[in-house]
């Protein structure tokens, strides 16, 4: 439904007309625009012909179209074709007589004179009138056909209702049968799932038992390593204590006389102190210093020259080397156990980790095995390679 138009006041119309006068618009155009405003046309509607390079006659025809309320399709056709005013008026006249818009578009596209357009429109109009005269007879025939079709449709609907009722009964029977089959299938599936769950629970129980056993083994090994570490520390303290006592005893017996010759006891004391210092240096991981006595022609000790020697890993004594290895294991074992416990390893992988610890793999090698989470078979091969590599490095 078209909205009710609000009329403009005379003052508002006069302001709009004054704007056109200021633009030096033609008086006929101003009169036409004023008339359209007074009729109730809007700015958008008047803008369809205003300032579009139309002459006054074309503007008048477009204004008539707006007054008559023609379809937007016809208005667009006349506006865009930019025909001369007589052609536009002819198209408007025959549109009002009932010529279809498609026929008007076809005639307009031929770009003929207004006289020829009128002749073509007359032919179209004559055909339309003949069709209207024939329509009543055809209309009666169509009505009879429609009545017959309605009767047939009514019978079909009645039959459909009967079929629907029958189909409903059959569907209920079929649904009941399907429900029974579904119930049996669900019962069987539940039984299969219960068996699978039981099997998986048994596997979990076995895995939990294996993990508990491995944790006990690891705890026992940690305790054993702690005990050995404490034993090594005790031995180290004893070695340092003995070396210190030997040094003090040697110093108390020594007499700082330059004329004294180097006796066998002095040599033994020097060797004892040197050995003690060497063992202490080895234990602490520092370079070893030797003092070589310098004697004169009579055999008297003139001075002692200190000589520094770097100790290679392979030259460590058996006790110090064992202490170094055990100290490392003692320090990192808790980290390795924590890493294993927090990892997502299967029992077979845990067995290989245990084997790697027993075979003396280093902390970095154990961490790589745990973090990479490789299969147990591959772990076994890598452990053998690591053992071979470690033996070659030693």
């Amino acid at each position: 439904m078209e909205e009710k138009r609000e009329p403009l006041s005379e003052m508002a119309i006069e302001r709009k007309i004054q704007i056109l006068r200021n633009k030096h618009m033609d008086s006929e155009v101003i009169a036409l625009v004023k008339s359209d405003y007074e009729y109730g046309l809007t700015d958008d509607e008047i803008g369809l012909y205003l300032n579009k390079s139309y002459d006054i006659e074309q503007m008048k025809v477009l204004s008539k179209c707006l007054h008559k309320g023609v379809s937007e399709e016809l208005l667009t056709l006349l506006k865009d074709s930019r025909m001369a005013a007589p052609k536009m008026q002819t198209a408007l006249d025959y549109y009002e007589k009932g010529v279809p818009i498609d026929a008007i578009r076809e005639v307009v596209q031929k770009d003929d004179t207004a006289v020829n357009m009128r002749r073509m429109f007359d032919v179209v109009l004559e055909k339309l009138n003949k069709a209207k005269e024939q329509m009543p007879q055809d209309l009666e025939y169509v009505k009879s056909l429609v009545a017959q079709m309605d009767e047939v449709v009514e019978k079909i609907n009645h039959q459909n209702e009967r079929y629907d009722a029958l189909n409903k009964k059959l569907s209920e029977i079929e649904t009941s049968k399907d429900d029974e089959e579904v119930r049996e299938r669900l019962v069987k599936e539940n039984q299969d799932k219960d068996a699978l769950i039981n099997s998986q629970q048994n596997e979990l129980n076995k895995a939990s038992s294996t993990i508990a056993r491995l944790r006990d083994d690891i705890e026992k090994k940690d305790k054993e390593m702690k005990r050995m570490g404490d034993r090594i520390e005790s031995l180290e303290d004893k070695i340092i204590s003995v070396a210190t006592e030997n040094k003090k005893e040697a110093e108390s017996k020594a007499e700082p006389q330059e004329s004294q010759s180097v006796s066998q006891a002095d040599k033994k004391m020097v060797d004892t102190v040197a050995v003690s210092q060497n063992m202490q240096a080895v234990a602490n991981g520092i370079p070893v210093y030797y003092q070589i006595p310098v004697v004169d022609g009579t055999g008297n000790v003139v001075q002692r020259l200190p000589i520094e020697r770097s100790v290679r890993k392979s030259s460590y004594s058996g006790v110090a080397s064992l202490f170094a290895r055990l100290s490392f294991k003692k320090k990192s074992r808790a980290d390795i156990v924590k890493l294993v416990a927090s990892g997502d390893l299967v029992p077979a992988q845990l067995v290989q980790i245990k084997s790697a610890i027993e075979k003396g793999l280093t902390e970095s090698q154990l961490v790589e095995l745990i973090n990479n989470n490789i299969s147990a078979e591959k772990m076994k091969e890598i452990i053998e390679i690591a053992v071979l590599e470690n033996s070659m490095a030693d």
Side-chain angles (χ1 to χ4, degrees):
M1 181 177 180
E2 186 178 358
E3 295 182 359
K4 183 178 180 181
R5 296 172 183 263
E6 294 294 336
L8 294 174
S9 63
E10 292 183 1
M11 185 177 297
I13 294 174
E14 184 61 30
R15 283 198 298 268
K16 293 179 181 293
I17 296 301
Q18 186 59 44
I19 293 173
L20 297 179
R21 291 195 188 101
N22 293 338
K23 293 180 179 180
H24 305 289
M25 195 76 70
D26 187 77
S27 59
E28 287 187 86
V29 176
I30 293 175
L32 177 63
V33 171
K34 183 178 180 181
S35 174
D36 285 344
Y37 274 128
E38 292 173 348
Y39 182 75
L41 296 183
T42 64
D43 291 335
D44 292 337
E45 290 172 332
I46 294 174
L48 292 175
Y49 65 80
L50 191 63
N51 298 326
K52 303 293 185 185
S53 300
Y54 295 117
D55 59 32
I56 185 61
E57 297 301 326
Q58 290 174 317
M59 292 182 183
K60 288 180 180 179
V61 175
L62 293 174
S63 176
K64 287 181 183 178
C65 291
L66 294 171
H67 281 253
K68 294 178 181 294
V70 301
S71 66
E72 185 177 354
E73 192 174 2
L74 176 66
L75 186 61
T76 302
L77 176 63
L78 298 180
K79 181 169 61 71
D80 295 342
S81 63
R82 292 189 175 275
M83 297 182 296
K87 295 182 181 180
M88 296 171 66
Q89 185 63 51
T90 300
L92 176 61
D93 292 341
Y94 278 90
Y95 174 79
E96 293 178 330
K97 291 180 180 180
V99 176
I101 187 65
D102 292 335
I104 295 175
R105 181 182 292 105
E106 185 178 352
V107 172
V108 168
Q109 288 176 352
K110 291 181 179 180
D111 195 20
D112 211 334
T113 62
V115 175
N116 291 335
M117 288 175 61
R118 186 177 297 276
R119 291 173 182 172
M120 287 186 283
F121 283 139
D122 286 336
V123 173
V124 174
L125 195 59
E126 184 179 357
K127 291 181 180 180
L128 290 175
N129 292 331
K130 288 182 180 180
K132 289 180 181 179
E133 293 175 357
Q134 185 68 23
M135 187 175 296
Q137 299 177 359
D138 296 338
L139 187 59
E140 291 297 330
Y141 176 69
V142 171
K143 287 181 179 180
S144 64
L145 287 178
V146 170
Q148 294 177 15
M149 291 176 65
D150 290 340
E151 185 178 355
V152 172
V153 169
E154 185 178 356
K155 292 180 179 180
I156 291 174
N157 291 334
H158 179 67
Q159 293 295 330
N160 285 339
E161 291 176 357
R162 294 178 60 190
Y163 287 137
D164 290 341
L166 180 60
N167 286 333
K168 184 177 180 181
K169 292 292 183 183
L170 292 175
S171 297
E172 292 176 355
I173 296 172
E174 189 68 25
T175 301
S176 176
K177 182 179 178 182
D178 292 342
D179 290 343
E180 182 64 22
E181 292 178 354
V182 170
R183 188 187 68 80
E184 293 177 356
R185 179 173 57 80
L186 291 176
V187 169
K188 186 177 182 304
E189 289 180 356
N190 287 334
Q191 292 175 350
D192 295 340
K193 288 181 179 178
D194 289 339
L196 179 60
I197 291 173
N198 291 333
S199 175
Q200 291 178 346
Q201 186 62 45
N202 293 333
E203 294 294 332
L204 287 175
N205 293 337
K206 292 179 182 179
S208 299
S209 176
T210 302
I211 291 173
R213 179 174 55 81
L214 290 174
R215 284 179 179 172
D216 291 339
D217 293 343
I218 290 172
E219 289 177 0
K220 291 178 182 178
K221 288 186 177 295
D222 288 341
K223 291 179 180 179
E224 181 65 19
M225 296 305 297
K226 185 177 183 302
R227 187 184 65 79
M228 293 178 68
D230 294 339
R231 178 62 177 166
I232 293 299
E233 289 177 358
S234 176
L235 291 174
E236 180 190 23
D237 292 339
K238 289 182 179 180
I239 291 171
I240 295 174
S241 176
V242 170
T244 304
E245 290 177 359
N246 291 339
K247 181 179 179 181
K248 289 181 179 179
E249 182 180 357
E251 289 177 351
S252 64
K253 292 180 179 181
E255 294 181 0
Q257 297 180 0
E258 295 182 358
S259 61
Q260 185 179 0
S261 62
V262 181
S263 66
Q264 186 66 27
D266 292 335
K267 292 182 180 179
K268 182 177 180 180
M269 184 270 293
V270 171
D271 293 339
T272 302
V273 172
V275 170
S276 175
Q277 291 176 344
N278 290 346
M279 292 180 66
Q280 185 175 1
V282 169
N284 296 329
I286 60 176
V288 178
Y289 293 87
Y290 288 98
Q291 290 183 347
I292 298 179
V294 179
V295 298
D296 56 10
T298 62
N300 295 324
V301 178
V302 178
Q303 61 178 343
R304 299 179 185 274
L305 297 178
I307 298 178
E308 179 181 350
R309 178 175 68 89
S310 297
V311 179
R312 298 177 59 189
K313 180 179 179 181
S314 60
S315 65
Y316 285 0
S317 65
V319 175
S321 177
L322 177 61
F323 170 71
R325 290 197 296 270
L326 293 180
S327 295
F328 159 73
K329 293 182 179 179
K330 177 183 176 183
K331 179 181 178 181
S332 62
R333 184 64 60 205
D335 296 335
I336 296 297
V337 173
K338 186 184 295 183
L339 189 60
V340 171
S342 62
D344 189 14
L345 301 177
V346 299
Q349 290 174 314
L350 292 174
V351 170
Q352 295 302 323
I353 295 297
K354 176 184 175 185
S355 174
I357 295 173
E358 292 174 348
K359 292 181 179 180
L361 265 68
T362 64
E363 180 185 9
S364 61
Q365 291 170 337
L366 291 173
V367 170
E368 289 297 326
L369 280 177
I370 296 169
N371 287 339
N372 288 332
N373 196 14
I374 57 182
S375 64
E377 292 78 5
K378 193 172 181 180
M379 273 189 180
K380 183 177 180 182
E381 297 297 329
I382 292 176
I383 291 170
E384 293 180 359
I385 294 173
V387 170
L388 180 60
E389 181 183 5
N390 293 343
S391 64
M392 295 175 66
D394 293 338

